[in-house]
């Protein structure tokens, strides 16, 4: 949550301070109005004032303006303002203000100080709602080379609705964290000394739903994919239609939707712009790994009951295996789950059984909300991922899904682990 100008980051509180202070600053440096604020600072012969930065100076004006009249004497000032007060000395003459290391002997001189003139010149930008909206964005940071560039990009935007394209050009990309420390499928699998560690890393990455989501986006990043987060939205009760609409809205770049309810499940949908086709990728703790779900390995399904195995295999035939899925139907079923207020209802349990995750498992009743969080990731250069994996694996396989390519790499890794494990048994 910040806006960066040059090399300085301004969080929302800093922007709010500037907005609040601009009126009194402008009036105080002009004629009449709040001139008493500055007159006080320059009119105390026995005191000098030192402000290390613009924020401290602006806070001082705000505090002074808010203080009752009886507290506007050097002896009764609020504590936050007295911090800046120094006894007059040879090096700090009384009746002066030092701002950012430069001393000023009058309000007229301070009015010409670059920090002050910059603030006054950019009144519209700083006071406008657009800048504060950018600084308050919990997902993205924005970095402008200068205040002038920010002014030009923001234009008349009031902070409501879509961020203007001119502003998006200055957005700082949010990348997924690397997973190489925990998972590197290109590493050499040797003998008994490290086989258990390889098996653990593979299972940890693809044998649980949450880790599948994290390792998928992180591995795309590690393979050189230009992946960045575009949005994060929580869909709660009654917002099923909105979620379905998000999934069906045409994309212009390769897009990965990372969808989860932290109490239930975590899965991914990849959507490609060429035909708006989509694929579902997932792992499920205690049930199956993501490469098995993708149809890339015969090992990975861990259910023991025959009927559960059959229902899961049938579900994978329609929804898994790297096949193009019916995104409208999936969106409708996700929305049916959101028709319920909580996970504990009969309706949410019924809706869960219609979802292509693990229908043989009954939901544990809980009072947590029936909601889905959707993180939207763009993959602007999937070809880099395709080429990197194909060159290492001597590919020749269809390049349909970038997520499938990551899991194909994982399946190859699991195959090498299995070979070494088998050799240790002989």
């Amino acid at each position: 949550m910040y806006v960066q100008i040059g090399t300085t980051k301004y969080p929302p509180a800093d922007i709010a301070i500037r907005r609040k202070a601009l009126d009194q600053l402008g009036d105080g440096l002009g004629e009449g109005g709040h001139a008493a604020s500055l007159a006080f600072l320059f009119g105390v012969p026995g005191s000098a004032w030192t402000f290390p930065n613009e924020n401290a100076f602006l806070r001082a004006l705000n505090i002074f303006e808010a203080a009752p009249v009886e507290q506007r004497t050097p002896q009764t000032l609020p504590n936050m303002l007295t911090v800046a007060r120094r006894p007059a000395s040879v090096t700090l003459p009384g009746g002066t203000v030092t701002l950012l290391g430069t001393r000023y002997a009058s309000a007229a001189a301070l009015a010409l100080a670059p920090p002050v003139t910059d603030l006054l010149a950019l009144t519209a930008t700083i006071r406008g709602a657009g800048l504060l909206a950018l600084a308050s964005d919990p997902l993205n940071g924005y970095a402008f080379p200068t205040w002038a560039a920010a002014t030009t990009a923001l234009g008349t935007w009031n902070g409501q609705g879509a961020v203007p394209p001119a502003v998006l050009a200055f957005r700082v990309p949010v990348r997924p964290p690397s997973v190489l420390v925990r998972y590197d499928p290109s590493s050499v699998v040797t003998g008994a000394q490290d086989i258990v560690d390889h098996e653990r890393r593979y299972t940890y990455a693809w044998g649980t739903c949450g880790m599948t989501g994290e390792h998928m986006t992180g591995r795309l990043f590690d393979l050189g994919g230009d992946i960045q987060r575009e949005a994060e939205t929580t869909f709660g009760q009654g917002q099923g239609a909105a979620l379905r609409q998000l999934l069906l809205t045409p994309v212009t770049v390769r897009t990965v939707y990372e969808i989860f309810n932290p109490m239930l499940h975590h899965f991914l949908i990849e959507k490609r712009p060429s035909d708006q086709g989509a694929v579902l990728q997932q792992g499920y703790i205690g049930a199956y790994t993501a490469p098995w779900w993708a149809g890339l390995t015969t090992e990975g399904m861990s259910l023991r009951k025959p009927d559960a195995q059959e229902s899961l295999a049938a579900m994978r035939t329609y929804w898994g295996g790297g096949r193009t899925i019916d995104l409208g139907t999936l969106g409708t079923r996700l929305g049916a789950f959101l028709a319920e207020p909580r996970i504990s209802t009969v309706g949410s349990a019924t809706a869960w059984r219609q979802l292509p995750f693990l229908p043989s498992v009954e939901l544990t009743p809980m009072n947590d909300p029936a909601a889905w969080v959707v993180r939207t990731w763009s993959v602007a250069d999937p070809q880099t991922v395709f080429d990197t994996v194909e060159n290492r694996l001597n590919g020749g396989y269809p390049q349909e899904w970038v997520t499938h390519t990551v899991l194909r790499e994982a399946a190859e890794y699991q195959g090498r682990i299995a070979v070494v494990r088998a050799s240790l048994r002989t």
Side-chain angles (χ1 to χ4, degrees), residues 177-241:
S178 169
V179 295
L180 278 176
V181 173
R182 294 170 291 161
Y183 173 78
D184 181 4
S186 66
S187 59
V188 176
V189 181
T190 56
Q193 287 186 333
D194 67 349
I195 188 66
V196 173
D197 185 58
H198 283 291
E199 290 174 330
R200 178 183 61 80
R201 291 174 184 269
Y202 171 82
T203 302
Y204 179 73
W206 306 115
T208 62
C209 58
M211 290 299 100
T212 292
E214 182 177 328
H215 282 74
M216 180 65 75
T217 56
R219 188 59 184 160
L220 286 171
F221 175 72
D222 289 333
L223 287 168
D226 183 9
I227 178 172
Q228 58 182 284
R229 187 176 58 191
E230 301 294 340
E232 180 172 321
T233 307
T234 299
F235 295 89
Q237 184 186 15
Q239 295 183 300

Side-chain angles (χ1 to χ4, degrees), residues 53-307:
N53 51 54
E54 299 166 30
N55 277 1
F57 175 63
L58 296 176
R59 282 193 183 98
L61 289 184
N62 286 335
I63 293 167
F64 184 83
E65 289 294 326
V69 173
E70 59 270 17
Q71 293 184 15
R72 297 186 183 183
T73 69
Q75 290 74 33
T76 58
L77 288 174
N79 289 336
M80 287 184 66
L81 187 51
T82 59
V83 170
R85 183 186 173 205
R86 301 288 186 274
S89 65
V90 174
T91 56
L92 288 174
T96 62
V97 173
T98 301
L99 175 59
L100 290 163
T102 301
R103 186 179 306 143
Y104 303 93
S106 69
L110 184 57
L112 299 176
V116 176
T117 56
D118 286 349
L119 286 170
L120 293 176
L122 294 164
T123 297
T125 298
I126 297 173
R127 292 183 65 195
L131 188 67
L132 185 59
L134 294 184
S136 302
D137 187 333
L139 301 179
N140 301 289
Y142 296 84
F144 301 91
T146 63
W147 280 106
T151 303
T152 301
L154 284 165
T156 59
W157 183 56
N158 65 358
Q160 302 297 315
V163 179
V167 175
L168 289 176
F170 294 97
R171 188 180 63 179
V172 179
V174 179
R175 310 289 187 183
S178 169
V179 295
L180 278 176
V181 173
R182 294 170 291 161
Y183 173 78
D184 181 4
S186 66
S187 59
V188 176
V189 181
T190 56
Q193 287 186 333
D194 67 349
I195 188 66
V196 173
D197 185 58
H198 283 291
E199 290 174 330
R200 178 183 61 80
R201 291 174 184 269
Y202 171 82
T203 302
Y204 179 73
W206 306 115
T208 62
C209 58
M211 290 299 100
T212 292
E214 182 177 328
H215 282 74
M216 180 65 75
T217 56
R219 188 59 184 160
L220 286 171
F221 175 72
D222 289 333
L223 287 168
D226 183 9
I227 178 172
Q228 58 182 284
R229 187 176 58 191
E230 301 294 340
E232 180 172 321
T233 307
T234 299
F235 295 89
Q237 184 186 15
Q239 295 183 300
L243 172 56
R244 185 176 187 273
Q245 183 59 44
L246 172 67
L247 298 179
L248 291 177
T249 297
V251 298
T252 57
V253 297
R254 184 81 58 152
T255 300
V256 174
Y257 298 106
E258 184 184 359
I259 307 176
F260 61 94
N261 180 301
M263 304 303 298
L264 293 177
H265 191 45
H266 200 132
F267 61 100
L268 301 111
I269 294 171
E270 176 187 347
K271 191 173 182 179
R272 59 191 177 201
S274 58
D275 61 356
Q276 304 303 316
V279 67
L280 170 65
Q281 309 288 15
Q282 60 184 344
Y284 202 110
I285 188 169
Y288 53 86
T289 64
W292 178 87
W293 172 263
L296 297 171
T297 176
T298 57
E299 298 182 15
M301 199 239 280
S302 52
L303 297 179
R304 293 292 176 261
K305 294 181 178 180
D307 56 341

Side-chain angles (χ1 to χ4, degrees), residues 25-50:
L25 179 62
D27 291 340
L29 295 178
E31 296 181 0
H34 297 281
S37 301
L38 292 178
F40 172 82
L41 294 178
F42 289 99
V44 184
S47 300
W49 306 87
T50 301

Side-chain angles (χ1 to χ4, degrees), residues 304-378:
R304 293 292 176 261
K305 294 181 178 180
D307 56 341
Q309 293 178 348
E310 291 176 7
S311 65
L312 178 59
M315 186 175 70
R316 185 181 70 159
T317 298
Y318 186 80
W319 291 101
R323 298 175 182 84
T324 301
I325 63 171
D326 186 336
L327 202 53
T329 297
L330 179 59
T332 298
R333 294 184 183 183
L334 290 170
F337 183 77
L338 296 181
E340 301 297 316
R342 297 177 307 280
I343 299 173
S344 59
T345 68
V346 174
S348 62
T350 300
W352 170 261
R353 286 191 290 272
Q354 298 301 312
L355 289 167
F357 305 142
L358 192 60
S360 61
V361 170
E362 294 294 331
L363 292 184
T364 301
M366 58 187 77
N367 286 321
D368 296 84
W372 296 109
V373 180
V374 182
R375 290 178 185 152
T376 303
W377 301 88
S378 65

